[in-house]
Amino acid sequence: MIFEHYFDKQFELRYFEMNRLGLATSTIILALLEETAADHSYSINHSLFDLNKKNVGWVLVSGILQIDRYPGYKERITIRTWLSSYSTIKGYRENIIFDEQHNIIGRAKGLWVFFDIEKRKPIPILNDIKEKWPYYSEESIVKDIKKKIETTNVASHIKKFKVNRYDTDMNKHVNNIRYLQWVIESMPEDIVDNYSLHIIDGRFIAEAKYGDSIISLTNDMKDHSFMHTIKIEGSDTICGNAKTYWRKN
């Protein structure tokens, strides 16, 4: 893939980012994708901290992550990111993950909304951001990530959590990575021990806040796939829904 409007960031995988097999975890991959997006913002002089001072920022509303091979300890990877389209308030961020031989080992796509942090509502993307981030219509994954994912009401596996301060980010809501961690924690132990997350397709619906009690619901489907819902205990508030697909190690 050759075009002008991408941003590359290199990483060397560290010891604490490994699982028991010596491979990067799915939550680490998601964290590296977020770090790449943050650096892309920094590269156009609109760092997330600068935006936060203006009480604005980016919020992920839906996304898909596909990992075909997890990198190992000390392995160097490159994450390439770009914007494939914009509307007034939102944009699609594409990602491809390369290994050192430039093989594609993962892909991700996210729909991000520009957000007024204090008013908790979407606002128009700054013109300067659009000018410095020209879009390119190539997609990393051809997938409609606006399509609704049904809520899981009957669960095979349930786990409960308390939202702590370290679960929230500078935009005062639960960080995206926590939702993936909550999903994985509610998975059957046999799956987590013997399979790797291949695809997660998720939708964020409502915010979870510091002090909330969270219920993570997981329901078994066929062929090592699962449906997930994260909700706030004691209410009808659904924070997010997701589908996951797992592969044998």
Side-chain angles (χ1 to χ4, degrees):
M1 182 185 299
I2 301 174
F3 53 90
E4 297 178 1
H5 304 311
Y6 63 78
F7 176 84
D8 281 358
K9 184 168 179 63
Q10 287 77 41
F11 298 93
E12 182 177 276
L13 278 302
R14 297 168 292 183
Y15 171 76
F16 70 87
E17 297 169 328
M18 302 294 103
N19 63 14
R20 65 183 180 83
L21 301 176
L23 301 174
T25 65
S26 54
T27 52
I28 287 300
I29 296 295
L30 188 57
L32 298 181
L33 289 166
E34 288 196 2
E35 181 69 14
T36 302
D39 257 27
H40 195 195
S41 292
Y42 181 82
S43 73
I44 61 167
N45 297 317
H46 284 289
S47 80
L48 301 185
F49 291 102
D50 291 338
L51 292 175
N52 186 259
K53 291 174 184 176
K54 301 174 185 177
N55 282 317
V56 298
W58 294 96
V59 174
L60 182 64
V61 296
S62 63
I64 183 169
L65 169 65
Q66 175 180 316
I67 301 298
D68 298 317
R69 182 181 74 78
Y70 283 88
Y73 178 51
K74 288 293 185 182
E75 187 171 349
R76 292 181 175 87
I77 63 171
T78 298
I79 297 179
R80 174 165 295 175
T81 190
W82 70 97
L83 282 298
S84 59
S85 68
Y86 283 115
S87 70
T88 303
I89 62 171
K90 60 191 177 185
Y92 284 93
R93 178 173 289 281
E94 311 286 341
N95 302 270
I96 292 180
I97 306 170
F98 298 98
D99 65 14
E100 291 183 76
Q101 288 72 45
H102 213 66
N103 300 308
I104 295 174
I105 62 172
R107 302 171 185 269
K109 178 192 208 63
L111 177 58
W112 293 81
V113 169
F114 206 58
F115 199 71
D116 185 309
I117 297 169
E118 292 301 321
K119 296 180 180 178
R120 317 307 286 173
K121 68 177 186 179
I123 57 172
I125 301 169
L126 301 178
N127 287 331
D128 190 49
I129 291 179
K130 287 187 173 183
E131 290 171 4
K132 291 179 178 178
W133 275 351
Y135 72 87
Y136 182 78
S137 57
E138 183 81 18
E139 293 183 88
S140 57
I141 301 178
V142 179
K143 177 74 175 181
D144 180 7
I145 59 172
K146 292 190 298 183
K147 185 178 180 181
K148 183 179 180 181
I149 295 176
E150 294 298 324
T151 296
T152 298
N153 293 308
V154 178
S156 312
H157 314 278
I158 299 175
K159 194 89 171 181
K160 295 185 180 181
F161 304 90
K162 192 79 170 178
V163 179
N164 297 298
R165 288 190 180 91
Y166 60 77
D167 295 316
T168 61
D169 58 24
M170 73 168 91
N171 293 332
K172 301 179 181 178
H173 71 233
V174 171
N175 186 274
N176 308 321
I177 299 168
R178 290 290 181 261
Y179 289 97
L180 177 55
Q181 289 174 325
W182 291 337
V183 163
I184 291 173
E185 285 295 329
S186 68
M187 290 290 298
E189 189 173 353
D190 173 66
I191 296 295
V192 175
D193 286 347
N194 298 292
Y195 292 76
S196 296
L197 178 64
H198 176 44
I199 298 172
I200 180 166
D201 186 12
R203 309 289 179 268
F204 296 97
I205 300 168
E207 291 184 276
K209 301 180 179 67
Y210 169 63
D212 286 341
S213 294
I214 297 297
I215 304 176
S216 179
L217 306 170
T218 288
N219 200 31
D220 298 74
M221 307 299 283
K222 61 181 180 178
D223 300 325
H224 305 110
S225 64
F226 299 83
M227 300 293 294
H228 309 272
T229 289
I230 304 292
K231 63 184 296 184
I232 297 177
E233 187 176 22
S235 78
D236 296 324
T237 302
I238 305 298
C239 297
N241 293 322
K243 298 178 182 178
T244 60
Y245 305 85
W246 297 71
R247 282 182 171 177
K248 184 78 173 174
N249 291 333

